[in-house]
Amino acid sequence: MGVLQIILQILLGVTSFLLTLLILLHKGRGGGLSDMFGGGMTSGLNSSGVAERNLNRFTVILGVTWAVVIIGLGLIMKFSGAGS
Amino acid sequence: MLSAFGRAFRTPDLRRKLLFTLGIVTIFRLGAFIPAPGVSYNNVQQCLQLTKNNTSLQQMVNMFSGGALLQVSIFALGIMPYITASIIVQLLRVVIPRFQELYDEGASGQTKLTQYTRYLTIALGLLNATTLVSLARSGQLMQGCTVPLIPDSGIVTTILLIITLTAGTGLIMWMGELVTEKGIGNGMSLLIFTSIAAGFVPAMNGIIGAKGWGTFLAVLAVGLVTVALVVFVEQSQRRIPVQYAKRMVGRRTVGGTTTYIPIKVNMAGVIPVIFASSILYLPALIAQFNTPTDGSNIPDWVAWVNNNLTRGDHPLYMAVYFLLIIFFTYFYVSITFNPEEVSDNMKKYGGFIPGIRAGKPTADYLQYVLSRITLPGALYLGIVALIPLVALVLVQANQNFPFGGTSILIMVGVGLETVKQIDAQLQQRHYEGLLR
């Protein structure tokens, strides 16, 4: 249980939480089930404002951080031999 | 066909969309292989090998997540929470008048409904994640496997795992929405499509390995016929002619045209099948919880449920499944298509069906046509859904038999829809489409 692992774990908790919140902030696209399988018409005209674009950028950055942290934790676990 | 693909890639706009969609799908698949933190990859693989041939409760859910669920990867929950949330919100429209109001409001109200669906998705994701983690910890996720999936069972690891899985669910939802917005087709259904298609090759391999090439070719032939049949039925519709009266609006003449209301044979899509199978999993689930773990006597009714309702090859199971599908088809069609609303709208714009009075008689007529055309639709859904169960008996394939039931309906439906969208995009640029 190294220091790095604890830092990564904290980071993971924080990023996961923020990621969920940010995603909920987005405006929902695509409406529901009938759209999914029933084959309705999806209106294609979506204009995304500056706010939405910035939100997208933040979400992508957070998502990448999240993935990197998870991979890092996985590597630590693999090499420290806790897995076996 | 191939040259059409070439043209699709030469159109800059379309190329960007296609590449974007492919990129998202790639990320989605990659995520399905990254184990969630705290989960031992080696142990999971070991367990997967051990329990490969089980047809357990989780198999269908596993199919929806493209094998990610049983690997306990970061995208383990897949698209399932979103599907469940959408179903719940849609059904709540019947129960809660406020939801119906929002739905009738048009675009703004529906955005709000979508937002509710998203909140519900995260909540359900949290719930599912907790269930999954506790199942994995107690070793019930893959029965008959004794190696611990999560070696470190401390409270911190557990909570982190739950949060991560929930965030993964949210991320998938967002990726789906991004595809809907910037890519081709409906993102959510494309992601489901990907998961199912990913399970396809291993299933085929399994059949080759277990039964040899002869059976494999037979299965392939049956599959192709089924696909053709499904495409045929999905495309078929009844067109009810509608005349619009000529009117003067300002100084222009409006209307005077003839169109039709298309009523599809299979209006409900795959949703009845999903409903029916999830309801049929309930008795098995209850039975599983009521099975005593200390080895004492199993209650009679649990044994009965285990014998009759959990195994896909039992006649009673099939019959119940079939009946449930027919019931849900009618139920779902009655929710989604409201004849009175349609006839009201037609009256508002001066439209009428030739030979039938506007207003109530029109609504009655639409209802009559609808309920008649839904019958073959319901029977068709039931039969297609039964194909894998019959195959289970005939070839002894497992329940994830690739050609049949939910998977084939979803694949054909999503595939057709996506191709149609690409087609529309191509035709905007005066090119011949993919479909001739």
Side-chain angles (χ1 to χ4, degrees), chain A residues 9 12-13 16 20 23-24 26 28-30 33 35-39 56 59-60 66 70 73 77 83, chain B residues 37 39-40 74 86-87 90 114-115 118-119 122 160 163-164 170-171 174 177 181-182 186 189 270:
Chain A
Q9 279 184 343
L12 178 65
S16 305
T20 316
I23 285 168
L24 280 184
H26 281 277
R29 308 274 181 209
L33 258 198
D35 216 29
M36 279 163 69
F37 306 119
N56 273 350
T59 319
V60 168
W66 182 73
I70 285 176
L73 270 176
M77 189 164 153
Chain B
V39 174
S40 163
I74 50 174
S86 327
I87 293 178
Q90 194 148 32
T114 314
Q115 206 60 25
R118 292 159 52 94
Y119 294 140
I122 296 295
L160 262 183
I163 297 182
T164 313
L171 202 61
W174 186 56
E177 284 163 2
E181 191 186 343
K182 294 181 182 160
N186 182 295
S189 33
V270 255

mmCIF file of all heavy atoms in Angstrom, chain A residues 9 12-13 16 20 23-24 26 28-30 33 35-39 56 59-60 66 70 73 77 83, chain B residues 37 39-40 74 86-87 90 114-115 118-119 122 160 163-164 170-171 174 177 181-182 186 189 270:
data_model
loop_
_atom_site.group_PDB
_atom_site.id
_atom_site.type_symbol
_atom_site.label_atom_id
_atom_site.label_comp_id
_atom_site.label_asym_id
_atom_site.label_seq_id
_atom_site.Cartn_x
_atom_site.Cartn_y
_atom_site.Cartn_z
ATOM 1 N N GLN A 9 -6.046 6.594 -5.433
ATOM 2 C CA GLN A 9 -7.401 6.218 -5.006
ATOM 3 C C GLN A 9 -8.234 7.453 -4.697
ATOM 4 O O GLN A 9 -9.397 7.537 -5.096
ATOM 5 C CB GLN A 9 -7.333 5.302 -3.795
ATOM 6 C CG GLN A 9 -7.055 3.860 -4.192
ATOM 7 C CD GLN A 9 -7.087 2.935 -3.013
ATOM 8 O OE1 GLN A 9 -7.010 3.385 -1.877
ATOM 9 N NE2 GLN A 9 -7.183 1.657 -3.275
ATOM 10 N N LEU A 12 -9.122 9.062 -7.872
ATOM 11 C CA LEU A 12 -10.166 8.308 -8.561
ATOM 12 C C LEU A 12 -11.536 8.656 -8.001
ATOM 13 O O LEU A 12 -12.484 8.912 -8.747
ATOM 14 C CB LEU A 12 -9.911 6.813 -8.420
ATOM 15 C CG LEU A 12 -10.959 5.911 -9.052
ATOM 16 C CD1 LEU A 12 -10.954 6.108 -10.547
ATOM 17 C CD2 LEU A 12 -10.716 4.467 -8.725
ATOM 18 N N GLY A 13 -11.606 8.693 -6.657
ATOM 19 C CA GLY A 13 -12.891 9.017 -6.038
ATOM 20 C C GLY A 13 -13.370 10.384 -6.480
ATOM 21 O O GLY A 13 -14.513 10.541 -6.906
ATOM 22 N N SER A 16 -14.267 10.487 -10.316
ATOM 23 C CA SER A 16 -15.504 9.770 -10.621
ATOM 24 C C SER A 16 -16.705 10.620 -10.252
ATOM 25 O O SER A 16 -17.659 10.760 -11.027
ATOM 26 C CB SER A 16 -15.579 8.455 -9.849
ATOM 27 O OG SER A 16 -14.473 7.678 -10.089
ATOM 28 N N THR A 20 -19.430 12.248 -12.919
ATOM 29 C CA THR A 20 -20.867 11.992 -12.882
ATOM 30 C C THR A 20 -21.643 13.309 -12.868
ATOM 31 O O THR A 20 -22.613 13.487 -13.610
ATOM 32 C CB THR A 20 -21.224 11.170 -11.632
ATOM 33 O OG1 THR A 20 -20.273 10.140 -11.488
ATOM 34 C CG2 THR A 20 -22.587 10.588 -11.744
ATOM 35 N N ILE A 23 -21.462 15.100 -16.256
ATOM 36 C CA ILE A 23 -22.288 14.450 -17.277
ATOM 37 C C ILE A 23 -23.754 14.795 -17.069
ATOM 38 O O ILE A 23 -24.500 15.040 -18.015
ATOM 39 C CB ILE A 23 -22.050 12.934 -17.260
ATOM 40 C CG1 ILE A 23 -20.701 12.656 -17.906
ATOM 41 C CG2 ILE A 23 -23.125 12.190 -18.007
ATOM 42 C CD1 ILE A 23 -20.209 11.283 -17.727
ATOM 43 N N LEU A 24 -24.142 14.881 -15.790
ATOM 44 C CA LEU A 24 -25.541 15.225 -15.528
ATOM 45 C C LEU A 24 -25.830 16.666 -15.934
ATOM 46 O O LEU A 24 -26.965 17.015 -16.228
ATOM 47 C CB LEU A 24 -25.869 15.024 -14.053
ATOM 48 C CG LEU A 24 -26.147 13.583 -13.682
ATOM 49 C CD1 LEU A 24 -26.552 13.484 -12.239
ATOM 50 C CD2 LEU A 24 -27.240 13.012 -14.562
ATOM 51 N N HIS A 26 -24.851 18.079 -18.614
ATOM 52 C CA HIS A 26 -25.080 18.176 -20.052
ATOM 53 C C HIS A 26 -26.561 18.150 -20.370
ATOM 54 O O HIS A 26 -27.356 17.581 -19.636
ATOM 55 C CB HIS A 26 -24.426 17.002 -20.768
ATOM 56 C CG HIS A 26 -22.963 17.162 -20.942
ATOM 57 N ND1 HIS A 26 -22.414 17.876 -21.954
ATOM 58 C CD2 HIS A 26 -21.936 16.699 -20.216
ATOM 59 C CE1 HIS A 26 -21.103 17.856 -21.846
ATOM 60 N NE2 HIS A 26 -20.787 17.149 -20.786
ATOM 61 N N GLY A 28 -29.548 16.677 -22.293
ATOM 62 C CA GLY A 28 -29.776 15.343 -22.828
ATOM 63 C C GLY A 28 -30.100 15.377 -24.309
ATOM 64 O O GLY A 28 -30.850 16.215 -24.768
ATOM 65 N N ARG A 29 -29.495 14.481 -25.021
ATOM 66 C CA ARG A 29 -29.809 14.355 -26.449
ATOM 67 C C ARG A 29 -30.492 13.028 -26.678
ATOM 68 O O ARG A 29 -30.230 12.064 -26.000
ATOM 69 C CB ARG A 29 -28.542 14.384 -27.291
ATOM 70 C CG ARG A 29 -27.674 15.539 -27.009
ATOM 71 C CD ARG A 29 -28.116 16.711 -27.837
ATOM 72 N NE ARG A 29 -27.246 17.842 -27.582
ATOM 73 C CZ ARG A 29 -27.651 19.101 -27.682
ATOM 74 N NH1 ARG A 29 -28.876 19.374 -28.010
ATOM 75 N NH2 ARG A 29 -26.820 20.076 -27.455
ATOM 76 N N GLY A 30 -31.296 12.997 -27.704
ATOM 77 C CA GLY A 30 -31.892 11.715 -28.037
ATOM 78 C C GLY A 30 -32.938 11.370 -26.999
ATOM 79 O O GLY A 30 -32.635 11.316 -25.825
ATOM 80 N N LEU A 33 -36.679 5.623 -25.338
ATOM 81 C CA LEU A 33 -36.631 4.299 -25.926
ATOM 82 C C LEU A 33 -37.228 4.216 -27.308
ATOM 83 O O LEU A 33 -36.671 3.593 -28.187
ATOM 84 C CB LEU A 33 -37.408 3.342 -25.036
ATOM 85 C CG LEU A 33 -36.591 2.443 -24.142
ATOM 86 C CD1 LEU A 33 -37.456 1.316 -23.701
ATOM 87 C CD2 LEU A 33 -35.391 1.914 -24.881
ATOM 88 N N ASP A 35 -37.279 6.158 -29.495
ATOM 89 C CA ASP A 35 -36.262 6.649 -30.393
ATOM 90 C C ASP A 35 -35.230 5.572 -30.682
ATOM 91 O O ASP A 35 -34.712 5.464 -31.773
ATOM 92 C CB ASP A 35 -35.586 7.824 -29.689
ATOM 93 C CG ASP A 35 -35.221 8.898 -30.663
ATOM 94 O OD1 ASP A 35 -35.931 9.001 -31.671
ATOM 95 O OD2 ASP A 35 -34.255 9.605 -30.409
ATOM 96 N N MET A 36 -34.954 4.765 -29.644
ATOM 97 C CA MET A 36 -33.864 3.811 -29.772
ATOM 98 C C MET A 36 -34.205 2.654 -30.684
ATOM 99 O O MET A 36 -33.449 2.322 -31.579
ATOM 100 C CB MET A 36 -33.498 3.263 -28.392
ATOM 101 C CG MET A 36 -32.616 4.190 -27.614
ATOM 102 S SD MET A 36 -32.620 3.768 -25.911
ATOM 103 C CE MET A 36 -31.769 2.243 -25.942
ATOM 104 N N PHE A 37 -35.338 2.030 -30.443
ATOM 105 C CA PHE A 37 -35.635 0.834 -31.215
ATOM 106 C C PHE A 37 -36.806 1.031 -32.159
ATOM 107 O O PHE A 37 -36.945 0.339 -33.138
ATOM 108 C CB PHE A 37 -35.959 -0.337 -30.295
ATOM 109 C CG PHE A 37 -34.917 -0.594 -29.282
ATOM 110 C CD1 PHE A 37 -35.210 -0.516 -27.947
ATOM 111 C CD2 PHE A 37 -33.636 -0.896 -29.678
ATOM 112 C CE1 PHE A 37 -34.227 -0.753 -27.010
ATOM 113 C CE2 PHE A 37 -32.660 -1.119 -28.747
ATOM 114 C CZ PHE A 37 -32.960 -1.056 -27.414
ATOM 115 N N GLY A 38 -37.669 1.969 -31.823
ATOM 116 C CA GLY A 38 -38.883 2.110 -32.617
ATOM 117 C C GLY A 38 -38.593 2.785 -33.935
ATOM 118 O O GLY A 38 -39.303 2.578 -34.908
ATOM 119 N N GLY A 39 -37.540 3.552 -33.974
ATOM 120 C CA GLY A 39 -37.196 4.217 -35.218
ATOM 121 C C GLY A 39 -38.027 5.441 -35.466
ATOM 122 O O GLY A 39 -38.735 5.555 -36.453
ATOM 123 N N ASN A 56 -18.095 20.257 -22.611
ATOM 124 C CA ASN A 56 -17.571 19.098 -23.313
ATOM 125 C C ASN A 56 -16.079 18.949 -23.062
ATOM 126 O O ASN A 56 -15.589 17.863 -22.774
ATOM 127 C CB ASN A 56 -17.789 19.258 -24.825
ATOM 128 C CG ASN A 56 -19.143 18.746 -25.237
ATOM 129 O OD1 ASN A 56 -19.829 18.112 -24.449
ATOM 130 N ND2 ASN A 56 -19.537 19.024 -26.451
ATOM 131 N N THR A 59 -15.347 17.757 -19.603
ATOM 132 C CA THR A 59 -15.728 16.361 -19.421
ATOM 133 C C THR A 59 -14.700 15.437 -20.058
ATOM 134 O O THR A 59 -14.342 14.410 -19.479
ATOM 135 C CB THR A 59 -17.108 16.096 -20.028
ATOM 136 O OG1 THR A 59 -17.947 17.183 -19.732
ATOM 137 C CG2 THR A 59 -17.701 14.842 -19.496
ATOM 138 N N VAL A 60 -14.233 15.814 -21.247
ATOM 139 C CA VAL A 60 -13.247 14.959 -21.908
ATOM 140 C C VAL A 60 -11.968 14.881 -21.076
ATOM 141 O O VAL A 60 -11.435 13.789 -20.831
ATOM 142 C CB VAL A 60 -12.939 15.496 -23.319
ATOM 143 C CG1 VAL A 60 -11.714 14.811 -23.886
ATOM 144 C CG2 VAL A 60 -14.120 15.269 -24.229
ATOM 145 N N TRP A 66 -9.616 10.196 -15.501
ATOM 146 C CA TRP A 66 -10.262 9.067 -14.828
ATOM 147 C C TRP A 66 -9.699 7.753 -15.353
ATOM 148 O O TRP A 66 -9.290 6.879 -14.582
ATOM 149 C CB TRP A 66 -11.764 9.195 -15.090
ATOM 150 C CG TRP A 66 -12.653 8.188 -14.473
ATOM 151 C CD1 TRP A 66 -12.990 8.091 -13.161
ATOM 152 C CD2 TRP A 66 -13.360 7.151 -15.161
ATOM 153 N NE1 TRP A 66 -13.868 7.056 -12.997
ATOM 154 C CE2 TRP A 66 -14.114 6.473 -14.192
ATOM 155 C CE3 TRP A 66 -13.435 6.741 -16.489
ATOM 156 C CZ2 TRP A 66 -14.920 5.396 -14.517
ATOM 157 C CZ3 TRP A 66 -14.245 5.690 -16.815
ATOM 158 C CH2 TRP A 66 -14.969 5.011 -15.833
ATOM 159 N N ILE A 70 -7.343 4.921 -13.433
ATOM 160 C CA ILE A 70 -7.764 3.517 -13.295
ATOM 161 C C ILE A 70 -6.675 2.585 -13.809
ATOM 162 O O ILE A 70 -6.336 1.578 -13.166
ATOM 163 C CB ILE A 70 -9.076 3.285 -14.054
ATOM 164 C CG1 ILE A 70 -10.223 3.881 -13.270
ATOM 165 C CG2 ILE A 70 -9.323 1.804 -14.265
ATOM 166 C CD1 ILE A 70 -11.528 3.787 -13.969
ATOM 167 N N LEU A 73 -3.847 2.462 -11.318
ATOM 168 C CA LEU A 73 -4.187 1.609 -10.167
ATOM 169 C C LEU A 73 -4.070 0.139 -10.545
ATOM 170 O O LEU A 73 -3.562 -0.680 -9.767
ATOM 171 C CB LEU A 73 -5.604 1.911 -9.693
ATOM 172 C CG LEU A 73 -5.761 2.998 -8.644
ATOM 173 C CD1 LEU A 73 -7.222 3.229 -8.353
ATOM 174 C CD2 LEU A 73 -5.047 2.584 -7.377
ATOM 175 N N MET A 77 -1.556 -2.630 -8.910
ATOM 176 C CA MET A 77 -2.083 -3.868 -8.337
ATOM 177 C C MET A 77 -1.390 -5.069 -8.952
ATOM 178 O O MET A 77 -1.069 -6.046 -8.268
ATOM 179 C CB MET A 77 -3.575 -3.930 -8.616
ATOM 180 C CG MET A 77 -4.245 -5.047 -7.900
ATOM 181 S SD MET A 77 -5.988 -4.763 -7.916
ATOM 182 C CE MET A 77 -6.532 -6.425 -7.792
ATOM 183 N N GLY A 83 -2.729 -9.168 -6.722
ATOM 184 C CA GLY A 83 -3.769 -9.812 -7.523
ATOM 185 C C GLY A 83 -3.798 -11.312 -7.382
ATOM 186 O O GLY A 83 -4.822 -11.934 -7.606
ATOM 187 N N PRO B 37 -10.915 -0.848 -10.789
ATOM 188 C CA PRO B 37 -9.875 -0.886 -9.766
ATOM 189 C C PRO B 37 -10.266 -1.787 -8.608
ATOM 190 O O PRO B 37 -11.396 -1.732 -8.142
ATOM 191 C CB PRO B 37 -9.768 0.572 -9.320
ATOM 192 C CG PRO B 37 -11.035 1.194 -9.738
ATOM 193 C CD PRO B 37 -11.428 0.491 -10.979
ATOM 194 N N VAL B 39 -10.344 -5.025 -8.824
ATOM 195 C CA VAL B 39 -10.750 -6.326 -9.331
ATOM 196 C C VAL B 39 -9.529 -7.010 -9.918
ATOM 197 O O VAL B 39 -8.774 -6.404 -10.675
ATOM 198 C CB VAL B 39 -11.828 -6.174 -10.412
ATOM 199 C CG1 VAL B 39 -12.145 -7.511 -11.033
ATOM 200 C CG2 VAL B 39 -13.066 -5.565 -9.826
ATOM 201 N N SER B 40 -9.345 -8.252 -9.543
ATOM 202 C CA SER B 40 -8.166 -8.955 -10.031
ATOM 203 C C SER B 40 -8.447 -9.548 -11.405
ATOM 204 O O SER B 40 -9.303 -10.410 -11.567
ATOM 205 C CB SER B 40 -7.792 -10.066 -9.061
ATOM 206 O OG SER B 40 -6.921 -10.957 -9.700
ATOM 207 N N ILE B 74 -14.617 -1.522 -16.219
ATOM 208 C CA ILE B 74 -15.134 -0.216 -15.807
ATOM 209 C C ILE B 74 -16.469 0.094 -16.471
ATOM 210 O O ILE B 74 -17.241 0.881 -15.960
ATOM 211 C CB ILE B 74 -14.126 0.920 -16.078
ATOM 212 C CG1 ILE B 74 -13.608 0.862 -17.495
ATOM 213 C CG2 ILE B 74 -12.998 0.886 -15.098
ATOM 214 C CD1 ILE B 74 -12.730 2.045 -17.840
ATOM 215 N N SER B 86 -35.124 4.487 -19.154
ATOM 216 C CA SER B 86 -36.048 4.956 -20.193
ATOM 217 C C SER B 86 -37.363 4.216 -20.116
ATOM 218 O O SER B 86 -38.431 4.821 -20.252
ATOM 219 C CB SER B 86 -35.479 4.763 -21.591
ATOM 220 O OG SER B 86 -34.128 4.894 -21.610
ATOM 221 N N ILE B 87 -37.269 2.896 -19.899
ATOM 222 C CA ILE B 87 -38.504 2.112 -19.804
ATOM 223 C C ILE B 87 -39.342 2.631 -18.652
ATOM 224 O O ILE B 87 -40.555 2.856 -18.790
ATOM 225 C CB ILE B 87 -38.199 0.617 -19.611
ATOM 226 C CG1 ILE B 87 -37.550 0.046 -20.866
ATOM 227 C CG2 ILE B 87 -39.458 -0.156 -19.292
ATOM 228 C CD1 ILE B 87 -37.178 -1.396 -20.741
ATOM 229 N N GLN B 90 -40.891 5.967 -19.396
ATOM 230 C CA GLN B 90 -41.964 5.841 -20.386
ATOM 231 C C GLN B 90 -43.228 5.244 -19.773
ATOM 232 O O GLN B 90 -44.337 5.678 -20.069
ATOM 233 C CB GLN B 90 -41.480 4.960 -21.526
ATOM 234 C CG GLN B 90 -42.376 5.057 -22.728
ATOM 235 C CD GLN B 90 -41.585 4.883 -23.995
ATOM 236 O OE1 GLN B 90 -40.608 4.159 -24.015
ATOM 237 N NE2 GLN B 90 -41.998 5.525 -25.054
ATOM 238 N N THR B 114 -36.167 13.673 -20.763
ATOM 239 C CA THR B 114 -34.853 13.080 -20.985
ATOM 240 C C THR B 114 -33.948 13.340 -19.793
ATOM 241 O O THR B 114 -33.201 12.466 -19.341
ATOM 242 C CB THR B 114 -34.206 13.671 -22.242
ATOM 243 O OG1 THR B 114 -35.163 13.686 -23.279
ATOM 244 C CG2 THR B 114 -33.013 12.872 -22.672
ATOM 245 N N GLN B 115 -34.048 14.564 -19.258
ATOM 246 C CA GLN B 115 -33.230 14.906 -18.105
ATOM 247 C C GLN B 115 -33.573 14.012 -16.912
ATOM 248 O O GLN B 115 -32.688 13.517 -16.224
ATOM 249 C CB GLN B 115 -33.460 16.389 -17.769
ATOM 250 C CG GLN B 115 -32.316 17.046 -17.052
ATOM 251 C CD GLN B 115 -31.030 17.015 -17.866
ATOM 252 O OE1 GLN B 115 -31.075 16.928 -19.074
ATOM 253 N NE2 GLN B 115 -29.899 17.056 -17.211
ATOM 254 N N ARG B 118 -32.005 10.768 -17.345
ATOM 255 C CA ARG B 118 -30.582 10.764 -17.041
ATOM 256 C C ARG B 118 -30.327 10.665 -15.551
ATOM 257 O O ARG B 118 -29.465 9.899 -15.104
ATOM 258 C CB ARG B 118 -29.941 12.012 -17.619
ATOM 259 C CG ARG B 118 -29.926 12.017 -19.136
ATOM 260 C CD ARG B 118 -29.783 13.403 -19.669
ATOM 261 N NE ARG B 118 -28.648 14.066 -19.060
ATOM 262 C CZ ARG B 118 -27.439 14.099 -19.567
ATOM 263 N NH1 ARG B 118 -27.234 13.574 -20.705
ATOM 264 N NH2 ARG B 118 -26.448 14.664 -18.959
ATOM 265 N N TYR B 119 -31.087 11.432 -14.746
ATOM 266 C CA TYR B 119 -30.902 11.321 -13.301
ATOM 267 C C TYR B 119 -31.189 9.900 -12.836
ATOM 268 O O TYR B 119 -30.450 9.318 -12.053
ATOM 269 C CB TYR B 119 -31.820 12.299 -12.555
ATOM 270 C CG TYR B 119 -31.489 13.748 -12.795
ATOM 271 C CD1 TYR B 119 -32.489 14.692 -12.962
ATOM 272 C CD2 TYR B 119 -30.171 14.172 -12.860
ATOM 273 C CE1 TYR B 119 -32.194 16.016 -13.196
ATOM 274 C CE2 TYR B 119 -29.854 15.485 -13.095
ATOM 275 C CZ TYR B 119 -30.872 16.415 -13.256
ATOM 276 O OH TYR B 119 -30.570 17.716 -13.492
ATOM 277 N N ILE B 122 -28.377 7.478 -13.474
ATOM 278 C CA ILE B 122 -27.279 7.487 -12.509
ATOM 279 C C ILE B 122 -27.704 6.775 -11.224
ATOM 280 O O ILE B 122 -26.959 5.966 -10.664
ATOM 281 C CB ILE B 122 -26.854 8.936 -12.200
ATOM 282 C CG1 ILE B 122 -26.298 9.589 -13.460
ATOM 283 C CG2 ILE B 122 -25.803 8.965 -11.108
ATOM 284 C CD1 ILE B 122 -25.034 8.966 -13.960
ATOM 285 N N LEU B 160 -14.919 2.756 -3.572
ATOM 286 C CA LEU B 160 -14.291 3.264 -4.798
ATOM 287 C C LEU B 160 -14.815 2.528 -6.019
ATOM 288 O O LEU B 160 -15.119 3.121 -7.057
ATOM 289 C CB LEU B 160 -12.781 3.057 -4.716
ATOM 290 C CG LEU B 160 -11.973 4.262 -4.273
ATOM 291 C CD1 LEU B 160 -10.505 3.940 -4.305
ATOM 292 C CD2 LEU B 160 -12.280 5.441 -5.166
ATOM 293 N N ILE B 163 -18.306 3.719 -6.884
ATOM 294 C CA ILE B 163 -18.302 5.046 -7.507
ATOM 295 C C ILE B 163 -17.790 4.967 -8.942
ATOM 296 O O ILE B 163 -18.346 5.572 -9.861
ATOM 297 C CB ILE B 163 -17.411 6.016 -6.699
ATOM 298 C CG1 ILE B 163 -17.971 6.211 -5.308
ATOM 299 C CG2 ILE B 163 -17.328 7.357 -7.384
ATOM 300 C CD1 ILE B 163 -17.170 7.195 -4.502
ATOM 301 N N THR B 164 -16.726 4.182 -9.132
ATOM 302 C CA THR B 164 -16.148 4.073 -10.464
ATOM 303 C C THR B 164 -17.142 3.489 -11.456
ATOM 304 O O THR B 164 -17.284 3.976 -12.577
ATOM 305 C CB THR B 164 -14.891 3.183 -10.427
ATOM 306 O OG1 THR B 164 -14.087 3.575 -9.347
ATOM 307 C CG2 THR B 164 -14.119 3.299 -11.713
ATOM 308 N N GLY B 170 -22.323 6.632 -16.346
ATOM 309 C CA GLY B 170 -22.569 7.985 -16.817
ATOM 310 C C GLY B 170 -21.797 8.276 -18.087
ATOM 311 O O GLY B 170 -22.330 8.854 -19.031
ATOM 312 N N LEU B 171 -20.547 7.825 -18.115
ATOM 313 C CA LEU B 171 -19.699 8.076 -19.277
ATOM 314 C C LEU B 171 -20.292 7.421 -20.518
ATOM 315 O O LEU B 171 -20.333 8.026 -21.607
ATOM 316 C CB LEU B 171 -18.301 7.525 -19.014
ATOM 317 C CG LEU B 171 -17.193 8.141 -19.847
ATOM 318 C CD1 LEU B 171 -17.109 9.625 -19.566
ATOM 319 C CD2 LEU B 171 -15.869 7.476 -19.551
ATOM 320 N N TRP B 174 -23.134 9.426 -21.760
ATOM 321 C CA TRP B 174 -22.689 10.634 -22.440
ATOM 322 C C TRP B 174 -22.144 10.314 -23.834
ATOM 323 O O TRP B 174 -22.423 11.025 -24.805
ATOM 324 C CB TRP B 174 -21.609 11.331 -21.597
ATOM 325 C CG TRP B 174 -21.202 12.642 -22.131
ATOM 326 C CD1 TRP B 174 -22.018 13.700 -22.395
ATOM 327 C CD2 TRP B 174 -19.881 13.050 -22.487
ATOM 328 N NE1 TRP B 174 -21.273 14.747 -22.886
ATOM 329 C CE2 TRP B 174 -19.959 14.377 -22.953
ATOM 330 C CE3 TRP B 174 -18.642 12.426 -22.454
ATOM 331 C CZ2 TRP B 174 -18.843 15.081 -23.382
ATOM 332 C CZ3 TRP B 174 -17.535 13.129 -22.869
ATOM 333 C CH2 TRP B 174 -17.639 14.440 -23.332
ATOM 334 N N GLU B 177 -24.919 9.859 -26.172
ATOM 335 C CA GLU B 177 -25.522 11.132 -26.565
ATOM 336 C C GLU B 177 -24.646 11.876 -27.554
ATOM 337 O O GLU B 177 -25.146 12.515 -28.489
ATOM 338 C CB GLU B 177 -25.757 11.991 -25.333
ATOM 339 C CG GLU B 177 -26.940 11.536 -24.535
ATOM 340 C CD GLU B 177 -26.920 12.103 -23.145
ATOM 341 O OE1 GLU B 177 -26.009 12.876 -22.846
ATOM 342 O OE2 GLU B 177 -27.812 11.745 -22.362
ATOM 343 N N GLU B 181 -25.592 13.131 -31.275
ATOM 344 C CA GLU B 181 -25.492 14.525 -31.645
ATOM 345 C C GLU B 181 -24.544 14.745 -32.821
ATOM 346 O O GLU B 181 -24.881 15.433 -33.778
ATOM 347 C CB GLU B 181 -25.000 15.306 -30.427
ATOM 348 C CG GLU B 181 -25.106 16.793 -30.585
ATOM 349 C CD GLU B 181 -24.469 17.495 -29.394
ATOM 350 O OE1 GLU B 181 -24.271 16.845 -28.368
ATOM 351 O OE2 GLU B 181 -24.150 18.682 -29.527
ATOM 352 N N LYS B 182 -23.355 14.129 -32.739
ATOM 353 C CA LYS B 182 -22.329 14.456 -33.740
ATOM 354 C C LYS B 182 -22.048 13.330 -34.709
ATOM 355 O O LYS B 182 -21.316 13.520 -35.672
ATOM 356 C CB LYS B 182 -21.028 14.807 -33.019
ATOM 357 C CG LYS B 182 -21.131 16.071 -32.214
ATOM 358 C CD LYS B 182 -19.821 16.391 -31.556
ATOM 359 C CE LYS B 182 -19.942 17.632 -30.723
ATOM 360 N NZ LYS B 182 -18.884 17.723 -29.729
ATOM 361 N N ASN B 186 -28.577 6.639 -33.853
ATOM 362 C CA ASN B 186 -28.856 6.865 -32.449
ATOM 363 C C ASN B 186 -27.765 6.222 -31.609
ATOM 364 O O ASN B 186 -27.529 5.018 -31.689
ATOM 365 C CB ASN B 186 -30.229 6.280 -32.108
ATOM 366 C CG ASN B 186 -30.597 6.533 -30.691
ATOM 367 O OD1 ASN B 186 -29.936 6.028 -29.785
ATOM 368 N ND2 ASN B 186 -31.602 7.329 -30.458
ATOM 369 N N SER B 189 -28.517 3.110 -29.183
ATOM 370 C CA SER B 189 -28.781 1.827 -29.827
ATOM 371 C C SER B 189 -27.535 1.328 -30.542
ATOM 372 O O SER B 189 -27.314 0.122 -30.608
ATOM 373 C CB SER B 189 -29.967 1.923 -30.775
ATOM 374 O OG SER B 189 -30.041 3.168 -31.366
ATOM 375 N N VAL B 270 -38.328 -4.059 -30.334
ATOM 376 C CA VAL B 270 -37.881 -5.160 -29.482
ATOM 377 C C VAL B 270 -38.348 -5.029 -28.063
ATOM 378 O O VAL B 270 -38.117 -5.919 -27.257
ATOM 379 C CB VAL B 270 -36.355 -5.217 -29.395
ATOM 380 C CG1 VAL B 270 -35.846 -6.335 -30.204
ATOM 381 C CG2 VAL B 270 -35.742 -3.925 -29.721
#
